[in-house]
Amino acid sequence: MRVVVVGKGAREHAICASLVNHHEVVCTTGNPGIAEICQVEQRKPEEIDADLYVIGPEVPLVDGLADRLRSMGRKVFGPGADGAKLEGSKAFLKEVLRSAGVPTAGFAVFSDIASAENHLRSANGPYVIKTDGLAEGKGVKVAMDLDEALFDVKQKLSGSSFGDAGRRVVIEDYMSGPEVSLFALCDGESAAALPVATDFKRLFDGDLGDNTGGMGAHSPVPWGDADLVDQVMQSIVQPTLVELKRRGIVYRGVLYAGLMLTEAGPKIVEYNVRFGDPETQVVIPRITTDLGSLLLQAASGRVEEQPTIDSRAALTVVLSSEGYPTAPKVGREISGLVDASNVEGVRIFQAGTALRDGVLVTAGGRVVSVTALADTLSEARTNAYLAASMIRFDGVHYRTDIGAAAVARIAERAERGNNR
Ligand code: GLY
């Protein structure tokens, strides 16, 4: 099968790396790392012939790329603009969740500053304020005190902080608990679940600093009940697909459930309509089934096969540029990738990279994802960090605590088991 993958990040690199095991792959627009493993094109996906189209990022989905391809008779893994609104509008998402009876935080939607301020003054903190529109994952504010919340809501609704994306906001009740991500491959009616992962959104160790696209991830995660995946599929994903269908939306693509494991059970924080980045870099390397076949089944409206999963663990560390996420420095020479990729079980997925006169340089905020697959999460962590330490560019930054809490939790459980 010939597959076109749309996108140019580490997520698309991981998708292409899996697909090339069984299929001919063309990536548009790709990056230098992707160009090492498959054909890379600068043409629009509509201009390239293929048996299957896999759309990576949310923006082309919200813009209706899947609809345009389907209207040409093509098979597409990715929702149309109607389904992509789940990510494109937080207010729409919350309405769908409410109608579907899916567990989520209580909420209210505001477009004018006075009403939003009144709501905040009558609520208890912490206050969760989200832009309605797309904001590259940076539109969520969790304000611990009222003044901070009032400032944030004013900045958003006036258009100062996020332009039009913030001119409508969703204010939610605060929830707490560990956060995990689950990807469901949906065919419009039913879905197959991939293994649970967790990502690290803040820039610095200890979950401090700015929100980013994600600085690392691992899979599996040692939180949640043994039946977490079944529980989420039954009480969250399946009712969502039913509600979407009731609204005339046939959702064929990935539903990325961002979940909070609260004391009252798993609740949806948000849906994204594409694979998560960097979670994809740890989930896809664990899938041993032909990924192309799974995605084609979803795109064709018949998910028949449950993916088989490697029992090994995967952990990824994201290396970012100086200045990320506000103003990343670009054009800095990158070295050490070959040595790093020779560390046992390591794969390097490129994102913000470019070739300048044949030299690999930084070209974006998140530069590479260093993934290690190993028998235990602890080993995966050791190997990923060893490889990360071999990659150099001026101003390189990465967190040093990705997976630390999970490894400690697993060790603690083993200790308790030994003492029984
Ligand atoms: N891992 C966060 C995201 O993909 O939005």
Side-chain angles (χ1 to χ4, degrees):
M1 173 165 74
R2 184 171 153 92
V3 189
V4 164
V5 175
V6 179
K8 58 179 187 176
R11 165 183 54 207
E12 287 76 25
H13 195 168
I15 293 170
C16 291
S18 176
L19 289 173
V20 292
N21 292 325
H22 301 272
H23 306 285
E24 179 190 350
V25 180
V26 180
C27 184
T28 170
T29 57
N31 64 42
I34 297 175
E36 286 174 10
I37 58 168
C38 66
Q39 188 183 332
V40 161
E41 288 262 5
Q42 302 307 308
R43 285 185 295 160
K44 290 183 179 167
E46 294 93 315
E47 294 166 8
I48 310 171
D49 267 335
D51 305 298
L52 175 67
Y53 296 77
V54 179
I55 304 173
E58 63 277 20
V59 171
L61 290 165
V62 171
D63 285 349
L65 175 59
D67 301 309
R68 294 197 293 283
L69 288 164
R70 285 194 180 104
S71 71
M72 297 165 76
R74 311 271 172 84
K75 288 229 161 67
V76 186
F77 182 81
D82 53 2
K85 218 173 148 196
L86 284 176
E87 183 164 354
S89 166
K90 292 273 184 287
F92 174 75
L93 162 74
K94 295 296 279 191
E95 245 178 63
V96 169
L97 294 175
R98 180 155 61 192
S99 309
V102 165
T104 188
F107 71 101
V109 180
F110 298 95
S111 303
D112 78 279
I113 295 175
S115 311
E117 285 181 345
N118 284 340
H119 177 84
L120 286 171
R121 286 184 210 285
S122 66
N124 294 320
Y127 310 86
V128 182
I129 304 155
K130 299 183 174 177
T131 59
D132 178 49
L134 290 178
E136 296 175 349
K138 297 169 200 149
V140 179
K141 175 76 182 177
V142 179
M144 301 316 283
D145 67 60
L146 182 61
D147 285 344
E148 201 186 353
L150 291 171
F151 179 76
D152 185 71
V153 95
K154 199 176 281 181
Q155 292 289 106
K156 281 182 173 141
L157 287 173
S158 64
S160 307
S161 49
F162 291 96
D164 285 346
R167 289 189 193 276
R168 186 153 78 141
V169 297
V170 175
I171 301 181
E172 293 186 1
D173 298 343
Y174 179 75
M175 299 190 287
S176 63
E179 283 192 57
V180 300
S181 308
L182 182 140
F183 301 153
L185 308 179
C186 305
D187 68 8
E189 303 228 346
S190 56
L194 300 184
V196 171
T198 193
D199 74 337
F200 296 75
K201 296 195 173 72
R202 299 290 184 140
L203 186 60
F204 298 125
D205 286 8
D207 292 329
L208 299 173
D210 286 349
N211 252 330
T212 69
M215 295 300 294
H218 59 79
S219 174
V221 294
W223 343 109
D225 303 331
D227 66 349
L228 176 65
V229 171
D230 289 344
Q231 214 182 330
V232 171
M233 294 305 280
Q234 278 165 27
S235 67
I236 294 181
V237 172
Q238 208 53 53
T240 304
L241 289 176
V242 170
E243 174 59 21
L244 290 172
K245 195 170 170 211
R246 192 186 69 76
R247 292 171 182 240
I249 300 172
V250 180
Y251 192 100
R252 290 184 181 164
V254 65
L255 257 185
Y256 157 175
L259 300 158
M260 190 162 281
L261 308 182
T262 72
E263 283 184 355
K267 294 190 179 184
I268 276 278
V269 178
E270 63 182 11
Y271 275 128
N272 294 311
V273 298
R274 35 84 195 173
F275 286 109
D277 184 347
E279 295 98 316
T280 301
Q281 293 91 292
V282 291
V283 169
I284 286 191
R286 297 188 64 215
I287 301 173
T288 51
T289 321
D290 167 11
L291 179 66
S293 155
L294 294 171
L295 302 186
L296 180 65
Q297 287 174 31
S300 309
R302 48 172 183 85
V303 165
E304 287 161 348
E305 199 182 355
Q306 292 302 315
T308 49
I309 307 302
D310 194 324
S311 60
R312 288 178 296 168
L315 183 140
T316 201
V317 180
V318 172
L319 274 56
S320 62
S321 294
E322 183 181 344
Y324 176 72
T326 36
K329 304 265 193 244
V330 297
R332 296 187 168 172
E333 188 172 334
I334 304 167
S335 63
L337 289 187
V338 174
D339 286 344
S341 61
N342 285 332
V343 175
E344 198 180 337
V346 164
R347 292 282 323 234
I348 295 172
F349 301 117
Q350 294 189 26
T353 61
L355 280 174
R356 198 180 59 191
D357 301 326
V359 175
L360 194 71
V361 296
T362 61
R366 289 189 292 172
V367 178
V368 291
S369 260
V370 181
T371 296
L373 198 59
D375 287 341
T376 65
L377 192 62
S378 173
E379 271 175 68
R381 181 166 195 272
T382 302
N383 294 350
Y385 273 112
L386 174 62
S389 71
M390 295 172 171
I391 300 172
R392 301 192 195 282
F393 49 88
D394 280 351
V396 61
H397 166 73
Y398 55 89
R399 279 180 64 155
T400 64
D401 64 347
I402 304 299
V407 167
R409 169 83 168 241
I410 292 165
E412 212 179 279
R413 269 192 199 155
E415 180 71 19
R416 274 207 307 265
N418 286 341
N419 290 339
R420 266 193 201 132

